[in-house]
Amino acid sequence: MATVSSLPSPAFLAAVPGGALPSATILRFPPNFVRQLSTKARRNCSNIGVAQIVAAAWSDRPAGPTHSGGGSRGRGASSHASATSAAASAAAAAPEVGAIANAKLGQPSAAALAEQALLGSDGSLAVHAGERLGRRIATDAITTPVVNTSAYWFKNSQELIDFKEGRHASFEYGRYGNPTTEALEKKMSALEKAESTVFVASGMYASVAMLSALVPAGGHIVITTDCYRKTRIYMETELPKRGISMTVIRPADMDALQNALVNNNVSLFFTETPTNPFLRCIDIELVANMCHSKGALLCIDSTFASPINQKALTLGADLVIHSATKYIAGHNDVIGGCISGRDELVSKVRIYHHVVGGVLNPNAAYLILRGMKTLHLRVQCQNNTALRMAQFLEEHPKIARVYYPGLPSHPEHHIAKSQMTGFGGVVSFEVAGDFDATRRFIDSVKIPYHAPSFGGCESIIDQPAIMSYWDSKEQRDIYGIKDNLIRFSIGVEDFEDLKNDVVQALNKI
C-alpha cells in the first residue's frame, strides 16, 4: 500500500541518490511549499498518478521585494540560487537588509552578478540569462515552465504582510507579474545591459505605456518623420488630449533637435534607429548628450536593430523599446513588446502597466523565451544575407535605389558602423518602375511571404504604399513613401535561393 508523507526538504533530496523517492510514496505538500504548476506539468502529473508535483519554488528562499504595485524595484534580487552548493546554501538563508535595500535601488542581484561573470557573450546570454542562474521556479527542467495562473496564494496573513512590506517574494496577482515572464524580463535586461525590463502585450502598447507614464500632461516630445506609422498616429491623435505638444524632425537634422530642445520644455525625444522604413540611423551618444543637457529623456526604439546589433543604453539612452514580435521572438508566431532601462524609469512604466493592463500572456512569454535562445544565430545570419542582398540590389539595373545602413551609400553609414555590430535583416529599395511594375515584382516572388512585420525566420516582403499607407496618398507624399518602394525582411533562408527568386521576379517587370 502506498504511504503518504510530507514533501522532503531539498537537503534530503540531495542526499538521496538521483534525488529519487520510494516508488510507492505519495507526496503531500506542506504549507511552506509554493505550487506554481503549468498546464503541461499538471497534465504530465495526472498521467503518472501524482496529484501535484514539479514546477515549484520553496517559500523559504531569500525574500525579495514586492512585485505588486511598486513594480520592478529589486525585481532581480528575488532569486539568489546558483549552480554551486555554496550559493544554494546562501539562497536558503534569510537575506541581509542591505541586499533588499540594494535591490530597491536597482542594483544587480547576486544571481545577476554571477550571470555577468559566467556568461560573457550575447550568444550565451540569449540562451541562459534569466534561466541558468537565479530562476525563481526551482525545477530540474531545462526549459522554464509556463506558469498559467491568475493569482498567487499566501499561507497566512503574516506572509501577506511580509509580501506587502518587501520581506517575502511573490507576485500576488497575474497582472502584476508571473515567473515565466520574469525569466524573460531578466534575459532581456541581460542582453540590453539594463537595470530592469517590463514585458507587455505588444510593441505598440510598450510605446503607449512609456509615453503615458513618463510624459506629463502639458509636456512636449520630439519625434522623427521616419517611424512606424501607428506610433505617429497615436502621438498625433491621443497625446493632444493630454495637452502634450510635439515637434517632428527629420532623423539626421540635429539643428532641428537642438532648436526644439532650446525652445520647448522637452520631456522626451523618442526615435527609432534604424528607422522604418528608410533605415535612417541616429547618433545615439550625440542625441543623448543633447537631450540630457536640457533635462530631456531619450527613448530609442531599437526594434530594427535588436540587442545583438545595438545596445542603446550603453550609448547613453535612458530607455530602449522593442516590438518583441520581430527579431526578439523571431518566429512570426507571437506578439509582445518590452521597455528596458534604468529601474527608476521602468518602475514608473510598470506601475502604469499594473493599473491599465496590457499583460503578456505567460504562454506568449514562453514562446518569446524559446525564440530568444536562437536570437544571436538568427540575427547574424540575417545580417549577412541582408548585406549581400543590398549589395546585389544596388548593382542591379532594375533597382533605382537601396536603403541599407551597411552600404557606404547610406547617408548614416558612418553612424551605423560606430554604434552597431551588424546592420539588420531589413533592406528597403525602390524598383526602377511605377506602381504597377512594383506590384508585378511583389506578386512574382515565390519565397518571401507578402505580409506585414519583419524579423522572423521566414522572409517577408511588402509594398508600403499599399500595406501601410493605402488609405492616404497625402501621407505617402509627406513622408516620402513612393509607389515603387519595397521593404524586404530577410529571413534565414539561403542567400542564393533568395537572390535567384528576386532575379526571376525582376525579370517580370
Side-chain angles (χ1 to χ4, degrees), residues 38-326:
S38 68
T39 299
K40 183 175 180 181
R42 288 193 296 270
R43 183 170 65 247
N44 289 343
C45 292
S46 65
N47 289 342
I48 61 174
V50 181
Q52 294 174 325
I53 199 170
V54 301
W58 293 99
S59 63
D60 62 351
R61 64 186 176 272
T66 176
H67 281 250
S68 171
S72 64
R73 292 185 181 275
R75 176 183 54 75
S78 59
S79 301
H80 293 262
S82 77
T84 67
S85 59
S89 299
E96 296 180 2
V97 174
I100 296 179
N102 288 341
K104 292 186 176 183
L105 291 172
Q107 297 179 15
S109 67
L113 292 172
E115 269 187 351
Q116 291 172 17
L118 181 66
L119 308 174
S121 69
D122 281 347
S124 296
L125 289 170
V127 175
H128 292 300
E131 299 183 272
R132 190 66 179 88
L133 301 176
R135 180 166 57 187
R136 180 184 291 266
I137 311 168
T139 171
D140 57 3
I142 292 174
T143 56
T144 296
V146 182
V147 180
N148 281 313
T149 186
S150 60
Y152 305 84
W153 63 276
F154 300 88
K155 64 184 181 183
N156 53 43
S157 297
Q158 185 58 52
E159 186 174 82
L160 175 59
I161 292 170
D162 289 342
F163 165 76
K164 292 292 186 180
E165 295 182 355
R167 293 184 298 274
H168 172 71
S170 188
F171 294 97
E172 181 183 357
Y173 188 58
R175 197 168 77 244
Y176 308 150
N178 177 279
T180 310
T181 305
E182 181 189 53
L184 174 61
E185 291 172 342
K186 288 181 178 179
K187 189 181 294 291
M188 195 67 193
S189 290
L191 281 169
E192 281 290 8
K193 310 301 182 188
E195 287 183 358
S196 184
T197 294
V198 58
F199 260 85
V200 296
S202 72
M204 187 65 227
Y205 174 74
S207 297
V208 170
M210 182 275 298
L211 291 166
S212 300
L214 299 180
V215 180
H220 190 92
I221 66 171
V222 180
I223 66 165
T224 58
T225 52
D226 197 28
C227 68
Y228 178 50
R229 190 185 178 202
K230 293 299 190 294
T231 303
R232 186 190 305 118
I233 289 173
Y234 172 79
M235 291 177 174
E236 290 175 344
T237 59
E238 298 301 319
L239 293 186
K241 297 175 184 178
R242 295 174 51 210
I244 297 172
S245 55
M246 181 170 62
T247 297
V248 182
I249 66 171
R250 297 193 178 279
D253 195 342
M254 295 298 98
D255 289 338
L257 174 60
Q258 183 62 29
N259 289 336
L261 291 168
V262 169
N263 296 320
N264 303 278
N265 184 19
V266 176
S267 304
L268 176 80
F269 177 30
F270 182 33
T271 180
E272 300 169 6
T273 183
T275 63
N276 181 21
F278 293 111
L279 306 172
R280 303 296 299 272
C281 295
I282 284 78
D283 187 328
I284 298 172
E285 187 171 9
L286 172 63
V287 298
N289 290 333
M290 293 172 66
C291 290
H292 296 160
S293 69
K294 297 296 181 180
L297 297 173
L298 172 63
C299 180
I300 297 293
D301 185 331
S302 198
T303 301
F304 271 77
S306 87
I308 301 300
N309 286 334
Q310 177 176 278
K311 300 190 190 302
L313 299 176
T314 67
L315 296 167
D318 299 290
L319 294 162
V320 59
I321 279 181
H322 289 274
S323 170
T325 311
K326 313 305 193 294

